Amino acid sequence: MPEPDQSVLARRKEIIAAMRAIVPASGAVIAEEDALRPYECDGLMAYRQLPMIVVLPDNTRQVAAILKYCHENKIRVVPRGAGTGLSGGALPMADAITISMMKFNRVLDIDWDNRACVVQPGVTNLGITRAVEHRGFYYAPDPSSQIACSIGGNIAENSGGVHCLKYGLTTNNVLGIEMVTIEGDILRLGGKGLDTPGYDLMGIITGSEGLLGIVTEITVRILRKPETARAMLLGFPDNQSGGDCVAKIIASGIIPGGLEMMDAPAIRATEDFVHAGYPLDVESLLLVELDGPVIEVDHLIDRVGNIAQKCGAVYSRISESEEERALFWSGRKNAFPAIGRISPDYICMDGTIPRGRLSDVLTGMQVFSQRHGLRVANVFHAGDGNLHPLIMFDANQPGELERAEAFGADILKLCVEVGGCLSGEHGIGIEKRDLMPEMFTEDDLKHQERLKLAFDEDQLLNPGKVFPVLHGCGELKTLHARAIAAKFPDIPRF
């Protein structure tokens, strides 16, 4: 991480006073060490750092004033949502102001005619669905942490969830945002319409991990709940046949509402915790949800059942009620805490691979497991190839954290090697930052950095995240036409 700026630390009392003038509400500026402790990390708890101070604004005007002050005084800023992120994206800095957005927790407007909902970034993911479900609507992206994670954090990481295969990630379900730049300017991008003219700046902000600005309002798309939804549990004798079934379901033209896969260690840990009725004598388990009109769902269940049988399924069970369907999903959504019951610590990875390479990558993980001497359980969004290996370790044992990190790095390198990428929905943060050169060339990274610097020339927003080394504007000079001609002499000139 960047070294703390001692000149900023020397002005800490002055900065605290300035923040209290901008945000005068009682308790809105946190400066005492014990009170700062809850903000020292996010969901990646292996890394901790007390922030210089924490500020909790409650309106856009205050956010703009804070960022303008920080820009004028060259003070670093770390935006924070609910703190459930798993890549260290909200890790504080000793010389930075952490801005918590959790007072922005209101649903501002529900537009039933346009099927849109305007919310503040501190509203939980599940809170949006709860606000509209009485009229038969819901918000589609549903990360496992949806009961706690904020929609602002979902924007930062471009979160997905178990239903993103059919209904898309956050970026596919956000219509508009209000954001504040580091200079304190308030911008509005998009709106309730399906598309807006000009560059897709909203697509740039979604997934930008707090490096470009702070989002203060979000317009999301809400959908009608399907007429019916049913879930299938399909068990297989090995990971190869389970992976083959995933590929063949998609290849047949069926796009399930959800298509998840778990390996044997994850199945056993989850069943012991949730008692969802998962079979314990299979090596891989698919959870397939089909939704839509009743007649269509019944037809698709038959088709998926036939595909599974041809792939060697040894277990099949179909939900017969909404309660049973919810129970099936309860097991999957509680897989992470289930692993927490059997291991003192774990790291959840987030690589994405082509569906056809599932069994190859799972085999590679077993090799890595033996190499590093650590257990791994796999729970993942099989339909879109988004893996969530859970590497189990004990941080109290010397060297185990380092071995777990090396294990995770090997998994992510393998994901890139087979044609995948470093992250599907958790973001890069600090966890995967130093692996970015595995996927991007130096020129690739420099172009991304130029975009970052266009929004934040002084690199004050969430420094130390995403980029292994962040260059200044002077180091990223434009390549002139003559240089391009020399570098690519075969390109015709006009």
Side-chain angles (χ1 to χ4, degrees):
M1 297 294 286
E3 289 295 320
D5 186 332
Q6 296 302 321
S7 67
V8 170
L9 292 174
R11 292 182 281 133
R12 184 172 183 268
K13 289 184 179 179
E14 172 192 326
I15 295 167
I16 292 171
M19 291 300 104
R20 285 180 172 153
I22 294 171
V23 190
S26 176
V29 178
I30 302 173
E32 297 72 28
E33 182 174 334
D34 287 346
L36 291 171
R37 192 68 61 188
Y39 297 91
E40 67 182 355
C41 66
D42 58 10
L44 186 66
M45 293 182 286
Y47 304 101
R48 300 170 186 266
Q49 168 64 57
L50 283 179
M52 178 172 68
I53 60 172
V54 174
V55 183
L56 292 89
D58 59 23
N59 61 65
T60 302
R61 193 171 59 255
Q62 289 178 349
V63 175
I66 294 167
L67 290 181
K68 183 178 181 181
Y69 176 87
C70 290
H71 180 253
E72 291 173 349
N73 291 275
K74 301 296 181 281
I75 300 167
R76 293 163 172 162
V77 175
V78 177
R80 180 185 175 95
T84 59
L86 294 169
S87 63
L91 182 72
M93 298 184 66
D95 62 341
I97 295 174
T98 290
I99 300 180
S100 171
M101 298 300 290
M102 294 313 289
K103 283 192 174 183
F104 284 72
N105 57 8
R106 293 185 298 134
V107 175
L108 301 175
D109 178 52
I110 301 173
D111 186 339
W112 305 108
D113 292 337
N114 287 305
R115 298 193 175 188
C117 187
V118 182
V119 300
Q120 293 183 317
V123 173
T124 63
N125 175 286
L126 187 58
I128 300 175
T129 292
R130 286 179 172 164
V132 299
E133 62 187 358
H134 66 285
R135 290 275 295 266
F137 287 84
Y138 75 112
Y139 177 62
D142 57 344
S144 294
S145 59
Q146 66 179 149
I147 193 172
C149 67
S150 69
I151 186 65
N154 291 177
I155 291 275
E157 308 295 359
N158 191 22
S159 303
V162 297
H163 290 95
C164 66
L165 171 64
K166 185 172 183 178
Y167 296 105
L169 298 152
T170 299
T171 191
N172 307 113
N173 289 275
V174 171
L175 298 172
I177 60 172
E178 175 187 82
M179 67 169 281
V180 184
T181 68
I182 188 62
E183 293 88 359
D185 297 327
I186 300 171
L187 309 180
R188 281 195 170 272
L189 307 174
K192 292 180 181 178
L194 291 179
D195 198 7
T196 53
Y199 290 121
D200 184 16
L201 294 179
M202 198 163 60
I204 292 171
I205 300 302
T206 305
S208 61
E209 303 195 33
L211 271 68
L212 306 182
I214 295 182
V215 173
T216 52
E217 183 184 293
I218 303 153
T219 303
V220 300
R221 175 185 290 113
I222 54 175
L223 303 177
R224 272 282 184 191
K225 285 188 176 180
E227 180 182 322
T228 189
R230 296 178 70 188
M232 303 177 70
L233 294 178
L234 302 170
F236 296 87
D238 51 59
N239 290 322
Q240 175 74 50
S241 53
D244 289 346
C245 186
V246 169
K248 289 181 179 178
I249 289 172
I250 303 298
S252 72
I254 300 171
I255 306 297
L259 180 49
E260 301 291 297
M261 185 170 173
M262 304 169 71
D263 67 5
I267 296 166
R268 295 181 185 115
T270 301
E271 178 60 19
D272 187 47
F273 180 44
V274 179
H275 307 296
Y278 291 173
L280 298 177
D281 57 350
V282 299
E283 289 300 309
S284 67
L285 182 69
L286 296 188
L287 176 51
V288 187
E289 180 165 289
L290 300 158
D291 59 13
V294 174
I295 190 169
E296 178 185 356
V297 169
D298 290 343
H299 173 66
L300 292 177
I301 284 175
D302 289 340
R303 287 184 61 192
V304 170
N306 289 333
I307 293 170
Q309 190 175 23
K310 290 177 183 177
C311 290
V314 295
Y315 178 90
S316 178
R317 181 178 168 189
I318 303 167
S319 65
E320 299 297 337
S321 66
E322 179 59 23
E323 291 73 23
E324 189 173 27
R325 185 188 74 88
L327 182 62
F328 288 178
W329 280 113
S330 176
R332 166 61 185 88
K333 286 180 176 276
N334 283 285
F336 292 4
I339 296 299
R341 293 177 72 241
I342 64 172
S343 177
D345 301 283
Y346 68 85
I347 292 178
C348 176
M349 306 308 295
D350 176 46
T352 298
I353 61 171
R355 281 184 293 267
R357 302 301 298 271
L358 277 173
S359 59
D360 297 336
V361 173
L362 290 174
T363 299
M365 284 188 208
Q366 294 308 311
V367 173
F368 300 151
S369 177
Q370 294 179 6
R371 177 188 302 168
H372 296 285
L374 297 172
R375 295 176 296 162
V376 63
N378 281 284
V379 182
F380 47 91
H381 310 311
D384 59 0
N386 185 194
L387 307 178
H388 290 318
L390 299 160
I391 301 169
M392 293 170 267
F393 69 101
D394 185 350
N396 293 315
Q397 298 299 318
E400 283 209 8
L401 171 59
E402 290 74 19
R403 280 159 49 205
E405 290 179 317
F407 188 172
D410 283 344
I411 291 173
L412 294 175
K413 289 175 184 176
L414 179 59
C415 289
V416 174
E417 184 181 317
V418 301
C421 61
L422 294 173
S423 176
E425 58 174 335
H426 292 175
I428 301 299
I430 60 166
E431 178 200 39
K432 309 178 188 76
R433 178 192 64 193
D434 296 336
L435 293 171
M436 287 285 273
E438 297 289 331
M439 184 170 177
F440 298 106
T441 66
E442 185 177 356
D443 283 344
D444 292 335
L445 289 171
K446 284 183 176 180
H447 278 295
Q448 294 182 46
E449 290 172 46
R450 288 186 180 99
L451 179 59
K452 154 72 172 171
L453 293 171
F455 282 84
D456 178 23
E457 184 175 355
D458 296 320
Q459 305 170 26
L460 298 174
L461 282 166
N462 219 11
K465 319 292 170 54
V466 179
F467 298 108
V469 178
L470 192 57
H471 301 86
C473 287
E475 300 172 87
L476 297 172
K477 292 178 181 177
T478 304
L479 192 62
H480 293 286
R482 283 198 196 90
I484 295 173
K487 193 172 183 180
F488 303 103
D490 54 321
I491 295 178
R493 308 292 153 190
F494 299 96

